[in-house]
Amino acid sequence: MATFLYKLGRLSFRRRHFAALIWVALLTLAGVGAASAPAAGNSSFSIPGTEAQKAFDLLEQRFPGASADGATARVVFKAPDGEKMTDAGNKATVEKTVRALSDGSEVARVTDPYQAKAVSKDGTIAYAQVSYKVSGMELDDAAKDALEDSAQDAREAGLTVEIGGDALQAVPHTGSSEIIGIAVAAVVLVITFGSLVAAGLPLLTALIGVGIGVSAITGLASALDLGTTTSTLAMMIGLAVGIDYALFIVSRYRAELAEGREREEAAGRAVGTAGSAVVFAGLTVVIALVGLSVVNIPMLTKMGIAAAGTVAIAVLIALTMIPALLGYAGRRVKPAGEKAKLLGRAAKKPSKEASKEASKEASREASNEPSQKPERPNLGTRWASFVVRRPVAVLLLGVIGLGAAAVPASSLELGLPDDGSQPTSTTQRRAYDLLSEGFGPGFNGPLMVVVDAKGSDDAKAAFTEVGDEIKGLKDVVTVTPPAPNKAGDTATITVIPGSKPSSVTTENLVHGIRDAGADIKADTNADVLVTGSTAMNIDVSEKLNDALVPYLVLVVGLAFLLLIVVFRSILVPLKAALGFLLSVMAALGAVVAVFQWGWLSDLMGVEQTGPVMSMMPIFMVGVVFGLAMDYEVFLVTRMREAYVHGEKPAQAIVTGFRHGARVVTAAAVIMMAVFAGFIGSSESMVKMIGFGLAIAVFFDAFIVRMAIVPAVLALLGRKAWWLPKWLDRALPNVDVEGEGLRRSDSDRGEADRELART
């Protein structure tokens, strides 16, 4: 691996024009494809195998043309103070609005509030429901504009009018905070490298990689039914890993220059060593993201695969375009330890004597000879030395701290966001609140009960029995009469709960109806299915919960095997997996504290607390595991490299931190800044993901990898690198630490000495 990547790095450095041209051409091609592709809305949402989805599919068969999955809009009217919706003037305005809403080729039907008895008991609030023939993501902009125009006309007549439902779906935006995240990343890079040129390389390559990935997603969005959240996630993860991967290679390049190597040779060695770590770190992220497909939720699968593709692009760019750009930069990228004019005095060009001395120093280090030039220990060295001296105290403090942060996770409640979780500035949220005020909180989450009596001897009796049975359940406010289809073998019943859609009480009601349906099935041979958006959300949460353990076993198992190959150890990968579990549980605890309990909600811009998004735990497991293994690979490979080359275990830990702590710290701060930039999004799911990933990176990088990992390795000593001999022989040698390159150096040095003797 190291030898192949070494040759690839040198080739990219030498043929820099060709390498850069390929990536610019790919970016241009992806951009043209995105610009010419038809626009796509939010991805369609289907949950194969759930009862709610089975009911939707049954409605499509038994009620043809009813558009069971069509978009809906509730136009909610409120009379001015002191007036009622039944007053003549207000009634005339509503009826005029209903007629206007009925126009349009995509409108299936519109209910009149006065005929449908959709007026509140106090007469101040009424609503008209608009049903469309197509789903929300297929609805034309003209139909949405007509809906908003009709509401505006009613407002001008003096009524308060708001629109709820999925017909109007707000376009998510991230705001300026995303740009701030990138700006913070730029500042960290400048401080790390001390040079605008060196700092600009990771940013440039990350932006090119994200540009290619997001443009490709945009170009394929319509054909593959990819939603806006898919590209946002790809951008979020692609930026973070793209900057980090390039950062590691540029840092290693500067370290190789400091040892006196020529620039082309330094580029090759940087790609051969740090690039090997990049490949395996990227593989763990890709495994975690692609593994989301085991959940069998199409939207989540598409999000994972799209983000994985962007990560793969980031790896390839880091391996090929970074050495090409280093070739263009030339002497403007300084060796490690030198500062440019930007952050200090101008760096002097090293003399031949200084270069020879640096080369001798590198040779002494490689052969474990004592250095004649003492180095001032950096912060990473001092911290690692402290941890090695006090491993038990550091380990206990880290574990207890993460355990305390994870405590709120025990109160985790899962659900999917609805209009009640929207910001109060949106018309969807105001419509939600008006309906709750006029008709009760459960009115925003009606349940649709589908009774399939095709196998029953008396369909009408079965319909009646289902309705009567539901009326006797707790938390039921209203049960509509059965509405059979033309064949008379299937009917729908609408149930209005007494609690809001995201409450545990409503979830219990759904299960209660399904339990009652099992008894009815035994008596009448009629199937009872519960569907609707509320039931669908409940089914999604349960499906995700059931898939969490199998997903964890799959992803952690595959990555564990991969890390055994990388580190040639059993205990190091095991420690990495256990540390990840600590960090992800602590991060989930932080998400619960902010988004469910409301801690720091004003600071985070969380206007409405409630259940945590149901896909958050499994999504965090996937993404955070991949990112956690990044830091594990980058930091511990340096330790293994030192150990393989003869250092004692404790000294190898210090050496790994001396070379890697500064870079890993910078990478973590950059990743946190990029993720935190998405907290400003108007989309609640994106906001929660941004916060969750940012805090998870903090816990994992600074507590697990920087404290717990060296403490555990110090306690294990040589046992940390133990591997059964039979397994050592069976495993392929991927040579992440670049031992093959050192042997090549040794062979060349021996050949040179032999030539000198002759």
Side-chain angles (χ1 to χ4, degrees):
M1 172 70 79
T3 304
F4 169 76
L5 293 178
Y6 164 78
K7 293 177 181 177
L8 178 63
R10 293 196 63 170
L11 179 64
S12 299
F13 186 96
R14 193 164 54 250
R15 304 287 187 225
R16 61 188 71 109
H17 302 308
F18 182 68
L21 182 62
I22 289 177
W23 287 111
V24 171
L26 288 175
L27 178 62
T28 304
L29 183 63
V32 171
S36 58
N42 287 339
S43 177
S44 59
F45 196 75
S46 64
I47 313 297
T50 61
E51 180 173 317
Q53 188 64 49
K54 291 177 183 176
F56 270 126
D57 296 339
L58 182 64
L59 287 173
E60 288 290 335
Q61 298 173 11
R62 305 289 174 83
F63 291 83
S67 302
D69 60 346
T72 59
R74 279 180 171 175
V75 183
V76 188
F77 306 91
K78 184 175 183 179
D81 292 341
E83 299 182 16
K84 293 185 180 296
M85 291 305 304
T86 51
D87 295 345
N90 294 336
K91 187 175 181 180
T93 300
V94 172
E95 289 174 343
K96 180 181 177 182
T97 304
V98 169
R99 288 193 296 272
L101 290 171
S102 301
D103 296 334
S105 59
E106 293 182 328
V107 177
R109 57 191 174 277
V110 181
T111 60
D112 187 312
Y114 304 101
Q115 296 178 6
K117 299 181 180 180
V119 181
S120 62
K121 290 182 180 180
D122 62 3
T124 59
I125 298 174
Y127 73 92
Q129 181 153 317
V130 186
S131 300
Y132 292 90
K133 300 175 184 177
V134 296
S135 61
M137 75 285 302
E138 297 170 327
L139 199 61
D140 287 342
D141 290 337
K144 297 180 181 180
D145 293 340
L147 181 62
E148 292 177 326
D149 292 343
S150 300
Q152 184 59 36
D153 292 341
R155 291 190 188 103
E156 293 174 357
L159 297 177
T160 298
V161 186
E162 304 296 345
I163 305 171
D166 60 352
L168 289 183
Q169 295 175 332
V171 177
H173 61 274
T174 54
S176 59
S177 56
E178 178 187 345
I179 306 300
I180 294 174
I182 297 177
V184 171
V187 171
V188 173
L189 287 169
V190 171
I191 294 174
T192 302
F193 291 136
S195 165
L196 283 175
V197 175
L201 297 183
L203 281 176
L204 177 61
T205 54
L207 291 173
I208 291 174
V210 167
I212 294 173
V214 173
S215 296
I217 292 170
T218 304
L220 297 172
S222 179
L224 300 181
D225 192 22
L226 304 176
T228 53
T229 307
T230 303
S231 58
T232 304
L233 174 65
M235 181 189 303
M236 184 190 303
I237 296 179
L239 270 176
V241 301
I243 294 174
D244 278 8
Y245 294 166
L247 166 65
F248 286 113
I249 291 180
V250 174
S251 298
R252 188 60 183 252
Y253 172 76
R254 296 176 71 235
E256 296 292 339
L257 288 180
E259 293 186 3
R261 304 190 193 282
E262 295 295 329
R263 293 187 177 271
E264 182 179 329
E265 177 69 12
R269 287 182 169 272
V271 176
T273 51
S276 297
V278 165
V279 169
F280 284 100
L283 272 176
T284 59
V285 180
V286 169
I287 287 172
L289 290 171
V290 174
L292 290 171
S293 59
V294 304
V295 184
N296 197 25
I297 295 179
M299 183 185 75
L300 197 59
T301 299
K302 293 171 185 176
M303 289 171 62
I305 292 176
T310 307
V311 171
I313 292 172
V315 171
L316 293 175
I317 282 186
L319 298 177
T320 56
M321 194 169 185
I322 281 292
L325 294 179
L326 290 173
Y328 285 120
R331 296 187 179 278
R332 283 169 289 189
V333 176
K334 307 293 182 182
E338 292 189 25
K339 299 290 183 182
K341 293 182 180 181
L342 179 66
L343 295 180
R345 59 187 180 182
K348 296 180 180 180
K349 182 178 179 180
S351 63
K352 291 183 178 180
E353 291 76 10
S355 297
K356 289 180 180 178
E357 185 61 32
S359 181
K360 290 178 181 177
E361 190 69 22
S363 299
R364 292 190 197 101
E365 183 179 355
S367 59
N368 293 319
E369 293 180 12
S371 173
Q372 296 179 359
K373 183 180 179 181
E375 293 182 2
R376 179 185 177 185
N378 58 20
L379 182 60
T381 302
R382 296 196 297 273
W383 168 249
S385 300
F386 170 78
V387 174
V388 168
R389 290 195 306 270
R390 301 285 188 273
V392 176
V394 172
L395 178 61
L396 289 177
L397 188 62
V399 171
I400 292 172
L402 290 178
V407 168
S410 62
S411 302
L412 177 67
E413 295 178 9
L414 299 177
L416 286 179
D418 55 17
D419 286 347
S421 62
Q422 295 273 4
T424 53
S425 58
T426 62
T427 185
Q428 292 95 331
R429 172 61 187 279
R430 291 196 292 262
Y432 181 96
D433 292 340
L434 284 176
L435 288 172
S436 296
E437 177 187 341
F439 302 94
F443 199 79
N444 284 290
L447 306 176
M448 180 180 288
V449 179
V450 182
V451 185
D452 179 9
K454 197 169 186 178
S456 177
D457 295 333
D458 189 346
K460 290 184 179 180
F463 300 155
T464 303
E465 183 177 345
V466 171
D468 293 341
E469 189 72 25
I470 294 174
K471 288 177 183 178
L473 297 176
K474 293 181 180 179
D475 200 48
V476 173
V477 175
T478 304
V479 178
T480 64
N485 62 348
K486 290 182 179 180
D489 58 4
T490 307
T492 59
I493 300 173
T494 301
V495 180
I496 305 298
S499 305
K500 63 181 182 178
S502 58
S503 69
V504 177
T505 308
T506 301
E507 181 178 349
N508 292 336
L509 175 59
V510 170
H511 290 303
I513 296 174
R514 288 172 174 170
D515 291 341
D519 297 333
I520 294 171
K521 169 73 172 177
D523 295 339
T524 65
N525 205 29
D527 289 319
V528 179
L529 305 173
V530 185
T531 188
S533 59
T534 302
M536 181 69 82
N537 290 350
I538 292 170
D539 286 351
V540 169
S541 298
E542 293 179 352
K543 189 177 182 70
L544 288 166
N545 285 339
D546 294 342
L548 183 59
V549 173
Y551 173 71
L552 236 133
V553 171
L554 173 68
V555 172
V556 176
L558 288 176
F560 181 78
L561 295 176
L562 184 66
L563 292 179
I564 289 177
V565 174
V566 174
F567 296 127
R568 307 194 77 77
S569 164
I570 298 293
L571 296 179
V572 170
L574 180 61
K575 172 263 310 169
L578 294 176
F580 150 74
L581 292 176
L582 275 174
S583 60
V584 79
M585 288 303 298
L588 275 176
V591 169
V592 169
V594 173
F595 291 90
Q596 188 175 309
W597 291 359
W599 294 4
L600 302 177
S601 56
D602 292 338
L603 180 63
M604 298 296 167
V606 180
E607 297 188 19
Q608 181 68 35
T609 60
V612 173
M613 182 180 60
S614 55
M615 65 177 66
M616 193 67 188
I618 199 164
F619 183 80
M620 283 189 65
V621 165
V623 177
V624 175
F625 181 79
L627 301 179
M629 294 307 103
D630 278 3
Y631 301 119
E632 181 76 15
V633 169
F634 288 127
L635 194 59
V636 180
T637 47
R638 272 290 195 170
M639 299 179 191
R640 173 163 178 78
E641 186 177 340
Y643 178 76
V644 167
H645 295 148
E647 292 189 7
K648 295 181 179 179
Q651 184 57 38
I653 295 172
V654 176
T655 300
F657 268 76
R658 182 172 71 247
H659 292 297
R662 177 183 176 89
V663 180
V664 169
T665 299
V669 172
I670 289 170
M671 197 170 282
M672 289 169 56
V674 172
F675 288 148
F678 289 84
I679 296 176
S681 173
S682 63
E683 181 78 25
S684 59
M685 182 169 71
V686 175
K687 181 190 292 287
M688 191 179 294
I689 289 174
F691 172 79
L693 294 184
I695 197 70
V697 168
F698 171 77
F699 287 146
D700 196 87
F702 293 105
I703 299 180
V704 174
R705 308 303 154 188
M706 290 290 186
I708 294 177
V709 165
V712 172
L713 290 177
L715 290 172
L716 291 175
R718 294 186 182 276
K719 295 178 182 177
W721 307 107
W722 171 79
L723 185 69
K725 292 183 179 180
W726 64 267
L727 185 56
D728 187 36
R729 291 191 297 269
L731 290 177
N733 184 13
V734 295
D735 191 20
V736 176
E737 57 273 358
E739 183 64 24
L741 299 181
R742 286 182 177 261
R743 284 198 299 267
S744 298
D745 272 356
S746 179
D747 292 343
R748 284 195 295 269
E750 183 64 31
D752 291 342
R753 287 190 291 272
E754 184 66 26
L755 183 62
R757 285 195 296 267
T758 57

